[in-house]
Structure formats: C-alpha cells, structure tokens
C-alpha cells in the first residue's frame, strides 16, 4: 500500500514484479529454495523504498537502479506504515534505513536487463488495442503472464472508465468493477502490476 507516497513505480516494479522474478529465478536453480514471498516474511520481499529513494517515480529510472545498484529485502529497508497499512510520507520515507554494509548486499538483488514497450504516439490511446500492434502486445502480455511473470503497466487514473462486470469469469465476479477503457484528460499517472487475465469477462 503506497499510501500518500508517489512510489507506485517502485511498488509495481520492485515489490511485485522483481520479487516474483527473483523468487522464480531461485526456484529455477534450486527447486528447494526457501525464498518464499507468499509467506509475507519481509526477508523474502524486495524493497520498493530502496529503489524509490534512488529513482523517484520514473519507471525507467526504477529499472535502471535495479540494473545498476539493485535493491534490498524489505527487512533491511522499509517504509513506516500507518494504521491502515499505507506508507507514511514522513522523514522516514526518504531517510535511509539501509546501513553502509547493506549497500553492498543490494548488488545481490539486480536485474540483467528489462524491456519497455511503447506503441504509437499516445500509449494511452484506447484504439491501440484494436490495432495489429496492439493485439500483438496483448498476446505478448498474456504469454508473459501465462509463463508466471508479472507485467507492469502505467496509465492515467483520470482517464480510466469503469464498468460493472455482468458475467462471471474465472477471477472477476458479477458486480465487481473493471477498467475497460482509457480516454479524456490526462493527469495523475499511476503504475500497476498485472498478475493475471480473464478472457471470460
């Protein structure tokens, strides 16, 4: 929960996407790996605070920090949280809880590369999804998700149009809300993680 902090890129990329990728990598080299993010243990969750403090809110900046500097587990570098579980925008948000010795340890948690994709002049144009390139991108995203990866995307919440789900899919249920379109004014950019999809909705 990013609370009042503008750390959505680090939450989506470092905490969700990279924690998932790192865990899957460890499992690929040791099927008995004890690195288990689903446990909730902060030793197995990678720190969005570390990348946020170095990169700010820029998507590519977060990836570049993960590539060059890395990050730390959250038990070594974490935000303070309010009673609702939101990150608190106080001096702790930008202060370093990481000690000198842990800076070197961050090098153990790095990415080798990343891919950022843009289609057309306006990546938030809803018509993109009906184009050939848009359909290819949707299939690429679905394949990545099917293979167990997390995909990060961005948009403008002010442009998001919501609809009530009328049918029941595998995940989305009748009465729940879904973003089905992005249009109109652009303000308040936001990064989110995509962890699955449901073609039945």
């Amino acid at each position: 929960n990013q609370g009042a902090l503008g750390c959505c890129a680090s939450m989506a990329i470092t905490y969700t996407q990279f924690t998932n990728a790192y865990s899957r990598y460890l499992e690929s080299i040791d099927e008995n790996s004890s690195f288990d993010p689903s446990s909730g243990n902060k030793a197995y969750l990678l720190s969005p605070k570390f990348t946020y403090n170095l990169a700010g809110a820029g998507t590519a900046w977060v990836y570049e920090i993960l590539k060059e500097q890395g990050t730390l587990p959250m038990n070594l570098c974490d935000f303070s949280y309010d009673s609702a579980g939101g990150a608190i925008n106080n001096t702790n948000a930008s202060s370093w809880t990481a000690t000198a010795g842990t800076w070197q340890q961050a090098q153990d948690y790095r990415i080798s590369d990343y891919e950022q994709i843009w289609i057309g002049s306006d990546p938030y144009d809803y018509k993109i999804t009906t184009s050939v390139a848009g359909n290819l991108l949707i299939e690429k995203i679905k394949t990545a998700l099917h293979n167990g990866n997390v995909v990060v995307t961005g948009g403008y919440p002010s442009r998001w149009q919501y609809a009530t789900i009328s049918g029941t899919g595998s995940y989305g249920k009748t009465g729940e809300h879904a973003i089905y379109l992005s249009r109109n004014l652009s303000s308040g950019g936001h990064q989110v993680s995509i962890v699955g999809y449901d073609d039945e909705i």
Side-chain angles (χ1 to χ4, degrees):
N1 183 345
Q2 73 182 76
L5 289 176
C7 60
C8 58
S10 284
M11 288 289 196
I13 297 165
T14 309
Y15 175 78
T16 308
Q17 186 181 49
F18 188 42
T19 295
N20 176 69
Y22 188 78
S23 174
R24 293 182 69 237
Y25 167 71
L26 291 181
E27 268 187 23
S28 76
I29 59 173
D30 177 7
E31 62 184 29
N32 297 314
S33 170
S34 62
F35 192 90
D36 181 16
S38 66
S39 70
N41 184 331
K42 290 187 177 187
Y44 306 132
L45 299 168
L46 299 178
S47 173
K49 178 180 178 176
F50 192 91
T51 53
Y52 173 66
N53 281 358
L54 289 174
T59 304
W61 302 339
V62 173
Y63 284 118
E64 287 298 322
I65 291 300
L66 286 174
K67 191 173 174 181
E68 300 300 323
Q69 179 59 47
T71 190
L72 290 170
M74 287 178 66
N75 64 324
L76 299 177
C77 183
D78 197 9
F79 296 113
S80 293
Y81 297 92
D82 60 25
S83 59
I88 300 173
N89 191 6
N90 61 10
T91 54
N92 174 266
S94 58
S95 66
W96 282 104
T97 51
T99 62
T102 58
W103 276 88
Q104 184 64 34
Q105 190 175 342
Q107 295 282 301
D108 295 336
Y109 302 91
R110 289 187 292 167
I111 61 174
S112 59
D113 210 350
Y114 63 96
E115 179 182 22
Q116 200 169 9
I117 301 170
W118 299 92
I119 305 178
S121 59
D122 180 1
Y124 306 104
D125 181 356
Y126 70 93
K127 294 175 185 170
I128 283 296
T129 57
T130 61
S131 69
V132 172
N135 280 307
L136 289 172
L137 177 59
I138 289 171
E139 287 306 313
K140 185 172 186 171
I141 290 170
K142 288 166 70 171
T143 298
L145 296 170
H146 180 75
N147 290 335
N149 296 303
V150 171
V151 175
V152 172
T153 189
Y156 295 108
S158 63
R159 297 179 85 170
W160 293 346
Q161 306 292 304
Y162 294 85
T164 302
I165 297 172
S166 58
T168 301
S170 302
Y171 302 106
K173 307 300 179 196
T174 300
E176 293 179 343
H177 294 273
I179 300 165
Y180 74 99
L181 191 64
S182 178
R183 64 179 176 196
N184 300 326
L185 300 175
S186 302
S187 64
H190 190 51
Q191 293 280 269
V192 296
S193 301
I194 302 174
V195 298
Y197 65 92
D198 190 338
D199 283 336
E200 300 303 312
I201 296 177

